[in-house]
Amino acid sequence: MLKGKHIILGITGSIAAYKSAVLCRLLVSAGAEVKVIMTPLAKQFITPLTMATVSKNPILVDFFNPENGEWNSHVKLGEWADLYLIAPASANTMAKMATGVADNLLLTTYLSARCAVAVAPAMDLDMYAHVATQRNMAQLKQDGVHIIEPGSGFLASGLIGKGRMAEPQDIVAAVEAIFAQSEKCAEASEIENPEKKKSLEGKRFLVTAGATIEPIDPVRFISNHSSGKMGYAVAEALAKRGAEVTLVSGRTAIDKPQGVEVVNVLSAEEMYKACVERFSEMDGAVMCAAVADYTPQVVATEKLKKGEGDMSIALKRTKDIAAELGSKKREGQVLVGFAMETENEEQNAAGKLVRKNLDFIVLNSLRREGAGFRGDTNIVSLIDSREKVDLPLMSKSDVAEHIVDKIESFL
Ligand code: C5P
């Protein structure tokens, strides 16, 4: 059951950490690959050397390796894992998880993890029974975290009561049950909805993403804060449903999505050419890129020298790629745009919908917490000529799934 599964074992500062070595050994002997993250305090309870030996992997504690500066990417770890198991989970760590505090690698990885998460609490009986701990555990449960109940018995404090971390073999059984349940759910959803996964097979889509770069001279440029995350998530969601995707990407700092052809461009003009060339072969296009509206009239061939006074740079308008594709759109093609507004949001978005001949527009508001450029979450509304649907705060990949659902409704 655990063969080939990727498990992150998180260890927090609790005396029960001594059981984590046995737990890790059981997981490894059941065929799982285990990477261990420890909080700084956990190292006082069990040594990294012990955990590295039983897990057969280096231990992760810090955001980067202090010796060589190598970055421990919590995002990559979160993507790697099939399950994030935190055992023992202290009251402190659970409280931070419940409120989204991310002040160590174990917690940032929790916030990045897309996989199932389980915690095995361990603490003194009064801490466990405290209303705050119970409230945090209820919150975690509501957030979809599996709680592996502690047992009752002798506690490190000398008291007797509930709070002992579940025994390693019971935690392994709980982990197996979590995998069995998620496999059953995946099978059931395939049976219920077999066409959902590959519903876009044979369809071709163009997606733009990221920021364009408008050169001023050989070393300077004009650009913006777009991370490209939203566009990359849309490209990935389309590809997951079987579509052939060409992603025309401006500057981003993220990895290429799987199964997608990427065409890298720099300026708005290059992005325009790449899109116009390809659009006629497409069933649709999603314009997520943050394209510069203006570009320098002349690009200096040598680095501009500073003088005594101020200077200004003459700018000219760039071409509107979405509007150009909108004017060329034929029957059966779907065109989706984005709008990022700071005022008169709906009115401006509705104007763009008509002006650019879009089928629908995704409105992001920069004013709302959790929405915008660099984060992994977004709050958007999907607006077409008939309706406006407001989506709550969710991950950019979930927003992408909603966008692709709506695209399908137009095909
Ligand atoms: O007009 P505005 O820039 O606000 O419109 C945003 C939408 O138009 C986005 O979908 C963006 O990708 C697209 N756009 C474009 N080419 C431009 C400017 C914006 O494709 N030059």
Side-chain angles (χ1 to χ4, degrees):
M1 159 104 341
L2 298 185
K3 200 162 169 43
K5 295 285 189 233
H6 290 176
I7 298 177
I8 303 175
L9 174 60
I11 306 179
T12 72
S14 155
I15 190 70
Y18 79 90
K19 295 188 197 171
S20 301
V22 179
L23 171 61
C24 183
R25 166 146 284 170
L26 289 175
L27 293 170
V28 171
S29 19
E33 193 182 331
V34 181
K35 290 188 180 175
V36 176
I37 304 180
M38 298 171 80
T39 62
L41 191 61
K43 290 196 295 183
Q44 311 287 331
F45 291 91
I46 187 156
T47 72
L49 180 62
T50 306
M51 293 313 304
T53 311
V54 288
S55 70
K56 304 187 175 122
N57 271 314
I59 300 309
L60 305 161
V61 179
D62 299 310
F63 289 111
F64 59 88
N65 181 335
E67 266 144 40
N68 59 15
E70 197 183 310
W71 177 245
N72 290 324
S73 166
H74 53 94
V75 176
K76 289 240 161 70
L77 275 167
E79 279 171 1
W80 172 85
D82 298 310
L83 176 77
Y84 191 5
L85 168 66
I86 301 173
S90 63
N92 178 50
T93 288
M94 289 197 297
K96 289 180 181 176
M97 288 167 74
T99 48
V101 174
D103 61 359
N104 61 39
L105 185 65
L106 183 146
L107 290 161
T108 46
T109 305
Y110 167 61
L111 293 183
S112 302
R114 295 194 193 151
C115 58
V117 179
V119 291
M123 68 205 72
D124 206 43
L125 77 164
D126 295 319
M127 284 177 89
Y128 185 72
H130 196 283
V131 64
T133 306
Q134 291 299 320
R135 186 172 57 233
N136 291 330
M137 281 180 19
Q139 181 62 51
L140 289 180
K141 241 187 219 171
Q142 200 184 320
D143 297 343
V145 173
H146 300 267
I147 311 269
I148 303 171
E149 288 282 320
S152 291
F154 282 106
L155 299 165
S157 60
L159 298 172
I160 300 174
K162 191 163 179 180
R164 276 169 69 103
M165 183 173 87
E167 292 307 319
Q169 64 274 20
D170 297 333
I171 297 179
V172 173
V175 164
E176 284 175 342
I178 292 167
F179 278 121
Q181 187 193 345
S182 78
E183 267 154 34
K184 246 199 224 151
C185 289
E187 270 167 32
S189 83
E190 253 172 62
I191 294 164
E192 264 168 41
N193 204 351
E195 79 285 2
K196 174 121 186 171
K197 273 174 103 186
K198 298 286 169 202
S199 49
L200 292 177
E201 226 154 49
K203 301 281 182 207
R204 303 176 79 177
F205 283 89
L206 182 75
V207 179
T208 66
T212 63
I213 290 207
E214 308 303 324
I216 297 170
D217 67 15
V219 288
R220 283 89 166 211
F221 58 81
I222 299 172
S223 192
N224 57 67
H225 291 300
S226 171
S227 65
K229 286 182 183 172
M230 194 59 248
Y232 276 47
V234 169
E236 199 165 12
L238 286 163
K240 265 198 338 220
R241 295 198 198 178
E244 215 177 289
V245 182
T246 302
L247 175 61
V248 178
S249 177
R251 191 171 73 145
T252 68
I254 48 180
D255 292 340
K256 173 182 183 295
Q258 272 184 359
V260 165
E261 181 204 11
V262 180
V263 178
N264 288 308
V265 294
L266 286 175
S267 64
E269 182 62 25
E270 282 178 33
M271 186 172 274
Y272 174 87
K273 284 193 185 132
C275 293
V276 171
E277 257 169 34
R278 292 171 171 83
F279 185 57
S280 63
E281 309 149 14
M282 301 289 162
D283 294 286
V286 189
M287 317 307 288
C288 307
V291 187
D293 292 324
Y294 293 91
T295 192
Q297 259 175 20
V298 202
V299 181
T301 47
E302 303 298 334
K303 184 181 168 197
L304 294 175
K305 288 283 177 206
K306 61 174 166 292
E308 284 304 312
D310 298 337
M311 78 170 300
S312 48
I313 299 168
L315 301 176
K316 61 178 181 188
R317 277 299 311 264
T318 55
K319 294 174 189 148
D320 191 313
I321 308 164
E324 179 64 20
L325 302 191
S327 72
K328 292 192 152 67
K329 190 172 74 169
R330 51 175 166 70
E331 187 72 26
Q333 282 183 314
V334 186
L335 185 59
V336 183
F338 273 69
M340 182 164 270
E341 304 292 338
T342 54
E343 56 182 358
N344 298 332
E345 304 173 335
E346 280 185 52
Q347 214 180 329
N348 285 336
K352 279 173 202 173
L353 182 76
V354 177
R355 221 169 34 249
K356 302 190 188 209
N357 194 24
L358 305 171
D359 292 284
F360 69 93
I361 190 156
V362 183
L363 170 64
N364 303 251
S365 166
L366 266 186
R367 279 191 290 191
R368 294 163 73 183
E369 184 113 347
F373 287 121
R374 290 205 178 107
D376 291 319
T377 58
N378 215 349
I379 305 170
V380 304
S381 305
L382 307 184
I383 304 173
D384 64 23
S385 56
R386 289 173 304 117
E387 60 175 6
K388 170 173 173 276
V389 177
D390 297 321
L391 300 179
L393 174 75
M394 59 179 78
S395 67
K396 287 187 174 169
S397 51
D398 286 343
V399 172
E401 292 295 334
H402 281 273
I403 292 171
V404 176
D405 282 342
K406 193 160 176 85
I407 290 174
E408 287 196 12
S409 75
F410 277 90
L411 285 172

